[in-house]
Amino acid sequence: MNILISGGSGFLGSAFSRELTARYRAQNKNVTITWLTRDASQAHPDDINMMTYDELATSDMSFDIILNLAGAGIADSRWSDERKEELMASRIKPTQSILDFIARASTKPNLLVSGSAIGWYGTQGDKPLTENSDYKTDFAHTLCDEWERLALKATDYDVPVAIVRTGVVIHPEGGMVAKLLLPFKFGVGGQLGDGQQMMSWISREDWVSAVIFIIEQHLKSASKTDINHINSLTQDNTSISENTFETENSAGNDTTAVVYNLTAPNPVTNHTFTKALGSWLQRPTFFTLPEFMLKLMFGEMSTLLIDGQKVLPQALLDAGYSFKHSTLQQALEDQK
């Protein structure tokens, strides 16, 4: 298997690369992983190939799978107008480069797996949300929706697409947990606002395993079924809301486009998360950061911390994926 990954050196891409390589080598299967990068001198493992975006623009290589993860962290800083533009561009430009490559490739990939986030649904409190749920419009939704729409254009070239909407990823090497470790270790960690907002999370191990599962399930079904008869995508003026799309794409072909929520089946409140993290670190969690303070500190971005989402992985469960960490306690305890 030959895989191209944008964002390969990141928190998720690097873990995916390690695990896939280990699994395939253990099964005596060949796998070649190439990371897309803007910096040809970027440090990388010896068994990873590197390709710049400029090289991709003229490359005649073929890839079985493309995994599109590039994008600046949505919660890394306040959402100024400049930051919003940066967040959008960091997703749209790499995705467009991949689409341009797909358009002219003589041998098309078997599948494009493209990143997104549960922010697509907007803030909807404790309402259960599956891949078939509707959305509420806010900046997070707009960001995710434009990213997804662009990726789904790969179906115009007969390339199936799997959109993976990711929740809060649990692992001490990155994401929310890494940012909270220091204050919690010093005993000043605590809940955010009233602590009742829902948090839809997934362990990094399950995120990696779920993406591998999606890829292998697709390859397995594609080997049995003519892809041109699998359900398809999209209408230009509506947001994406169904797990599998059933309309003809602009090229007149029927090509698979599927959405998966990458979240664990048991979301928790921020209060529960705070207590679990404090227990895991054996530190108190007496402090509370009030809602007004979060709004002062983070502005519009505070919605990610204050307003919850209860997002469920219905498509993964229906496909037969079995979670290693179905509870937050399991996910944290396995990090020791």
Side-chain angles (χ1 to χ4, degrees):
M1 183 184 293
N2 194 8
I3 299 184
L4 178 69
I5 308 177
S6 68
S9 63
F11 173 54
L12 296 177
S14 59
F16 173 88
S17 299
R18 288 193 300 270
E19 178 64 19
L20 186 70
T21 299
R23 287 194 192 190
Y24 274 47
R25 285 180 177 171
Q27 299 169 20
N28 293 317
K29 295 180 180 179
N30 293 324
V31 61
T32 301
I33 297 177
T34 302
W35 288 353
L36 264 178
T37 180
R38 300 201 179 279
D39 180 8
S41 64
Q42 181 183 31
H44 60 278
D46 292 339
D47 55 358
I48 298 293
N49 297 325
M50 301 294 279
M51 174 183 286
T52 67
Y53 284 90
D54 288 340
E55 290 170 337
L56 181 69
T58 59
S59 175
D60 59 359
M61 291 182 63
S62 62
F63 297 96
D64 301 300
I65 305 293
I66 299 179
L67 177 57
N68 179 31
L69 301 176
I74 192 172
D76 287 353
S77 62
R78 291 175 68 98
W79 290 348
S80 64
D81 289 344
E82 182 180 1
R83 179 60 177 172
K84 286 181 177 180
E85 291 178 4
E86 180 184 357
L87 289 170
M88 188 69 75
S90 69
R91 289 158 172 76
I92 297 303
K93 288 181 179 179
T95 304
Q96 186 62 59
S97 294
I98 289 170
L99 278 176
D100 292 343
F101 168 77
I102 288 173
R104 62 179 181 75
S106 57
T107 302
K108 308 297 185 187
N110 293 316
L111 179 68
L112 169 63
V113 180
S114 197
S116 185
I118 60 172
W120 184 91
Y121 299 100
T123 56
Q124 301 197 49
D126 60 359
K127 175 184 176 181
L129 302 170
T130 70
E131 292 84 356
N132 292 319
S133 297
D134 208 346
Y135 62 92
K136 288 192 174 181
T137 301
D138 56 16
F139 172 68
H141 167 77
T142 300
L143 178 68
C144 294
D145 197 54
E146 291 196 23
W147 192 16
E148 291 185 13
R149 286 191 167 282
L150 184 58
L152 286 163
K153 289 182 182 296
T155 61
D156 290 349
Y157 308 105
D158 293 333
V159 175
V161 178
I163 300 291
V164 289
R165 294 175 181 159
T166 299
V168 175
V169 180
I170 301 297
H171 195 279
E173 288 182 4
M176 177 181 284
V177 173
K179 292 178 181 178
L180 293 176
L181 282 180
L182 187 60
F184 270 74
K185 284 180 177 178
F186 279 101
V188 293
Q191 74 181 32
L192 306 176
D194 64 10
Q196 295 310 300
Q197 64 272 38
M198 296 302 299
M199 175 179 151
S200 299
W201 61 275
I202 186 170
S203 71
R204 190 170 70 169
E205 291 86 347
D206 269 318
W207 187 95
V208 168
S209 293
V211 172
I212 295 174
F213 174 84
I214 290 166
I215 291 170
E216 293 185 339
Q217 287 290 107
H218 169 81
L219 295 177
K220 192 180 299 182
S221 65
S223 68
K224 297 177 181 178
T225 308
D226 181 358
I227 296 178
N228 288 334
H229 290 88
I230 305 175
N231 296 329
S232 64
L233 168 70
T234 173
Q235 295 180 7
D236 288 340
N237 297 318
T238 57
S239 283
I240 303 152
S241 61
E242 294 188 0
N243 178 48
T244 303
F245 305 100
E246 299 182 348
T247 58
E248 190 174 83
N249 63 32
S250 61
N253 301 308
D254 293 332
T255 305
T256 308
V258 185
V259 171
Y260 294 91
N261 291 335
L262 265 55
T263 57
N266 295 297
V268 298
T269 64
N270 176 259
H271 175 80
T272 298
F273 171 77
T274 299
K275 293 301 179 184
L277 188 59
S279 175
W280 177 58
L281 294 171
Q282 298 183 331
R283 293 292 186 273
T285 56
F286 301 131
F287 291 88
T288 296
L289 200 55
E291 183 174 323
F292 80 89
M293 185 64 69
L294 290 166
K295 290 180 177 178
L296 284 174
M297 292 170 63
F298 301 110
E300 184 183 356
M301 194 199 77
S302 64
T303 186
L304 298 178
L305 307 174
I306 297 169
D307 301 310
Q309 294 173 302
K310 187 176 183 180
V311 180
L312 304 173
Q314 195 60 55
L316 273 179
L317 294 174
D318 289 347
Y321 179 75
S322 179
F323 281 85
K324 179 180 180 182
H325 303 129
S326 59
T327 70
L328 182 63
Q329 184 177 0
Q330 289 174 334
L332 291 173
E333 288 299 323
D334 261 12
Q335 307 309 321
K336 287 186 175 180

